[in-house]
């Protein structure tokens, strides 16, 4: 195919599209409109190239469940959101951007660590960490930034423990994660941040040779099947995915509950709802807000349109999670809804490896926050909250709260 | 109802264990699905159908 054919028509929707002012929890109006009017539609990316948006629940499950839609970012036509995004995906590839059988081989080295039973056994430890953070946050104070004092440190501490990364270094890797995930970062800065993180993790992996421990990095080293560079790239994925996602879900969930006081009241009155409430928050907020990328390796019909081999696809899981056929009244937050069919963790063989961990962390974070802070409230006007529209993972940059 | 789980297809994210913990578990060594009860009692059928529906890898099939 020639480049000209891949260039979008001038009236195609440009992505990432902006959200409507005053509607920080809803998908961008342009993308929602497409989901209603033309569920498989053409869009334009930052560099003027075209890709498909697949917006409905059933179609998203079809695409992500079919490995003829490749996750390999090296293939021509793979859709990138920014030039920096291309750096992340192409530099130091690991299994999130590989296809089976290589993807399965690497992923299966980790599945035991994230399986439901193992992660459930971590509850007491996660609860202890959550309580300690709240003790420290409330000690002699009546207000704080929820992001820096609770939402970010909790999953950071947990993923450090699991990986065997010293938490003292969190300033170093959090700053570099921020650069990697910012849609505004220049490509060079993304490349540097990425190299620094991989360097840091390579040195860490090497150090485990002489001083082994029970963490994932050390066990991957002991296994002897991967190079230090491969372990470092995998470690980088786990480190970044393991704390930014849960951190943003925690803060944005808190804001969404404060904004929906009836829902917050229900949850307070009946804490056993927390498990279902977390699924509903995952659905309603869908923080992976710019779509899950794939590229077709054959001509495949999706929602009545033919996607040609070599064409890129973004599965907009945020609109899929508002699909009226699956989630009637889905534009409203309802903590009693059965939201388990949401695709906030993706679908298919790449579906989030860390989802059992994310669930335990989020259930504990939400339950602990509302139990320990009965007077919880937002400490700035709602209109002044700064959203992460400029980041690959949505959320809030900070969340001033009082109690 | 009879359950068949394809351990080759399974990607070990544990959604089935969440939906029907009495019926599904994961192997200790690699987190891949194991069926605890291949012919579960009727009371569990809804939970099992939900597990099959949310399995991301289409690894769970049901027959009568
Ligand atoms: C609320 C929290 C989270 C959300 C919404 C989330 C979302 C996602 C999504 C949508 C994908 C699919 C990407 C794709 O198909 O291309 C994914 C994959 C992944 N996530 Fe998460 N995630 C979360 C938490 C975590 C945590 C805590 C970890 C822990 C380490 C983690 C590790 C991973 C990994 C390793 C993959 C790649 C899996 C593969 O390609 O086989 N995530 N996540
Ligand atoms: S839900 Fe499917 S992929 Fe996940 S553990 Fe169960 S069988 Fe495996």
């Amino acid at each position: 195919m020639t480049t000209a054919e891949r260039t979008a028509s001038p009236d195609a929707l440009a992505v990432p599209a902006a959200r409507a002012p005053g509607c920080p929890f809803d998908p961008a109006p342009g993308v929602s409109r497409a989901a209603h009017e033309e569920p498989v539609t053409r869009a334009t990316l930052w560099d003027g190239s075209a890709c498909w948006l697949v917006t409905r629940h059933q179609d998203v499950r079809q695409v992500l469940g079919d490995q003829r839609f490749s996750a390999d970012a090296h293939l021509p036509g793979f859709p990138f959101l920014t030039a920096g995004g291309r750096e992340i995906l192409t530099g130091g590839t690991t299994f999130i951007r590989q296809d089976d059988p290589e993807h399965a081989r690497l992923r299966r080295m980790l599945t035991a660590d994230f399986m439901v039973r193992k992660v459930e056994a971590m509850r007491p430890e996660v609860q202890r960490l959550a309580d300690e953070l709240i003790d420290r946050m409330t000690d002699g104070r009546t207000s704080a930034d929820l992001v820096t004092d609770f939402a970010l440190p909790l999953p950071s501490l947990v993923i450090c423990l699991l990986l065997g990364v010293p938490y003292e270094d969190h300033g170093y890797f959090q700053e570099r994660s921020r650069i990697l995930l910012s849609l505004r970062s220049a490509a060079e800065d993304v490349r540097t941040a990425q190299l620094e993180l991989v360097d840091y993790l390579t040195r860490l992996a090497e150090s485990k040779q002489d001083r082994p421990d029970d963490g994932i990095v050390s066990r991957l080293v002991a296994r002897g099947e991967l190079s230090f560079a491969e372990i470092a790239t995998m470690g980088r994925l786990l480190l970044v995915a393991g704390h930014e996602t849960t951190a943003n879900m925690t803060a944005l969930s808190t804001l969404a509950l404060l904004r929906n006081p009836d829902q917050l009241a229900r949850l307070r009155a009946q804490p056993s709802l927390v498990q279902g409430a977390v699924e509903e928050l995952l659905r309603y907020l869908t923080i992976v807000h710019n779509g899950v990328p794939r590229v077709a390796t054959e001509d495949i019909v999706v929602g009545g349109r033919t996607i040609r081999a070599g064409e890129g696809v973004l599965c907009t899981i945020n609109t899929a999670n508002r699909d009226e056929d699956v989630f009637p009244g889905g534009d409203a937050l309802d903590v009693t809804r059965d939201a388990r069919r949401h695709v906030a963790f993706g679908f298919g063989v790449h579906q989030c490896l860390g989802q059992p961990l994310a669930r335990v962390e989020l259930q504990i974070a939400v339950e602990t926050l509302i139990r320990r802070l009965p007077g919880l409230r937002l400490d700035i006007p709602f209109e002044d909250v700064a959203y992460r529209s400029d980041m690959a993972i949505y959320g809030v940059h900070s969340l001033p709260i009082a109690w | 109802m009879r359950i068949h789980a394809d351990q080759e297809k399974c990607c070990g994210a544990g959604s089935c264990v969440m939906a029907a913990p009495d019926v599904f578990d994961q192997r200790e060594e690699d987190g891949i699905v194991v069926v605890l009860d291949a012919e579960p009692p009727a009371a569990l059928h809804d939970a099992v159908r939900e597990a099959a529906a949310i399995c991301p890898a289409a690894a769970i099939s049901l027959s009568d």
Side-chain angles (χ1 to χ4, degrees):
Chain A
M1 192 191 297
T2 65
T3 338
E5 286 174 272
R6 262 207 215 109
T7 307
S9 65
D11 55 340
L13 176 66
V15 288
R19 293 179 194 242
C23 304
F25 304 129
D26 297 334
V31 182
S32 294
R33 202 175 312 120
H36 286 115
E37 292 167 8
E38 206 187 328
V40 177
T41 196
R42 297 295 272 168
T44 322
L45 298 163
W46 61 285
D47 59 353
S49 66
C51 76
W52 292 96
L53 289 191
V54 172
T55 59
R56 305 213 55 178
H57 191 266
Q58 187 187 338
D59 297 340
V60 163
R61 282 177 42 129
Q62 181 197 336
V63 169
L64 296 180
D66 182 344
Q67 295 203 55
R68 292 176 301 163
F69 287 99
S70 168
D72 184 348
H74 295 282
L75 294 181
F78 193 90
F80 299 103
L81 285 179
T82 61
R86 187 165 54 190
E87 287 295 327
I88 300 185
L89 295 174
T90 52
T93 305
T94 189
F95 62 97
I96 191 168
R97 291 293 164 254
Q98 287 178 315
D99 296 327
D100 285 352
E102 190 55 12
H103 160 266
R105 184 179 81 89
L106 296 174
R107 178 171 165 129
R108 282 194 179 203
M109 293 184 190
L110 298 167
T111 33
D113 287 291
F114 292 95
M115 66 193 261
V116 173
R117 204 166 0 100
K118 290 253 179 73
V119 170
E120 285 292 329
M122 293 171 61
R123 265 186 200 272
E125 178 67 7
V126 178
Q127 184 65 60
R128 190 184 61 76
L129 291 169
D131 277 315
E132 270 178 24
L133 287 168
I134 300 231
D135 289 343
R136 210 171 310 148
M137 179 172 88
T138 52
D139 187 21
R141 284 193 293 169
T142 54
S143 65
D145 173 13
L146 185 75
V147 175
T148 51
D149 286 347
F150 183 75
L152 189 55
L154 181 63
S156 257
L157 282 159
V158 174
I159 197 70
C160 282
L161 269 175
L162 267 175
L163 287 176
V165 168
Y167 183 69
E168 305 86 84
D169 296 341
H170 69 272
Y172 187 84
F173 58 75
Q174 281 168 357
E175 174 55 19
R176 278 149 192 85
S177 301
R178 198 193 54 71
I179 297 169
L180 290 189
L181 294 177
S182 170
L183 303 177
R184 295 209 183 115
S185 294
E188 309 85 83
D189 297 336
V190 170
R191 194 175 314 133
T192 309
Q194 167 141 278
L195 288 175
E196 285 171 347
L197 265 183
V198 170
D199 236 36
Y200 167 81
L201 286 159
T202 307
R203 274 181 276 118
L204 185 81
E206 285 166 356
S207 77
K208 305 284 182 188
Q209 243 178 343
D210 304 326
R211 274 167 288 121
D213 58 35
D214 194 34
I216 290 177
V217 171
S218 191
R219 278 181 289 121
L220 287 173
V221 171
R223 205 179 166 118
E225 292 170 45
L226 300 174
S227 68
F228 287 122
E230 286 171 313
I231 294 171
T233 320
M234 232 179 193
R236 184 196 65 200
L237 169 63
L238 294 174
L239 192 58
V240 176
H243 75 274
E244 285 281 353
T245 46
T246 314
N248 282 299
M249 260 309 290
T250 302
L252 198 61
S253 296
T254 306
L255 181 63
L257 287 169
L258 288 170
R259 225 15 212 179
N260 291 270
D262 54 327
Q263 299 299 312
L264 179 56
R266 286 195 96 139
L267 199 50
R268 276 194 196 285
Q270 207 180 330
S272 63
L273 288 176
V274 75
Q275 217 170 323
V278 163
E279 298 309 313
E280 170 67 351
L281 287 159
L282 284 161
R283 178 196 73 80
Y284 180 68
L285 299 170
T286 314
I287 56 171
V288 177
H289 64 145
N290 292 318
V292 175
R294 293 292 186 268
V295 58
T297 60
E298 288 176 28
D299 294 0
I300 301 166
V301 177
V302 179
R305 306 291 296 260
T306 302
I307 298 180
R308 304 269 171 214
E311 290 180 339
V313 179
L314 285 175
C315 293
T316 53
I317 52 179
N318 56 351
T319 52
N321 280 339
R322 299 285 181 105
D323 192 324
E324 283 289 324
D325 290 346
V326 187
F327 307 107
D331 282 333
L333 177 71
D334 174 0
V335 295
T336 62
R337 184 198 305 275
D338 181 357
R340 286 177 297 174
R341 293 195 186 193
H342 71 70
V343 285
F345 289 122
F347 196 71
V349 296
H350 288 277
Q351 196 187 52
C352 185
L353 172 73
Q355 58 184 297
L357 178 62
R359 288 191 163 105
V360 164
E361 290 176 334
L362 289 169
Q363 289 164 15
I364 289 177
V366 170
E367 190 278 329
T368 307
L369 263 181
I370 62 180
R371 176 170 45 84
R372 301 261 330 249
L373 305 176
L376 181 66
R377 61 182 192 277
L378 192 58
D379 205 22
I380 54 170
F382 179 70
E383 295 68 38
D384 293 351
V385 175
Y387 296 94
R388 293 169 46 110
S389 304
D390 55 337
M391 305 296 278
I393 311 282
Y394 192 58
V396 290
H397 284 293
S398 68
L399 193 68
I401 52 159
W403 50 83
Chain B
M1 172 189 277
R2 216 188 141 69
I3 304 172
H4 176 75
D6 185 335
Q7 296 180 324
E8 284 303 305
K9 282 189 181 170
C10 171
C11 62
S15 305
C16 54
V17 184
M18 182 188 76
D22 298 326
V23 178
F24 299 100
D25 198 357
Q26 290 167 281
R27 283 199 302 235
E28 186 67 25
E29 64 276 19
D30 59 5
I32 296 307
V33 65
V34 277
V35 180
L36 299 173
D37 184 355
E39 291 182 33
L44 294 176
H45 287 185
D46 276 353
V48 170
R49 273 189 215 101
E50 182 65 19
I54 60 178
C55 170
I60 300 172
S61 46
L62 308 176
S63 54
D64 290 329

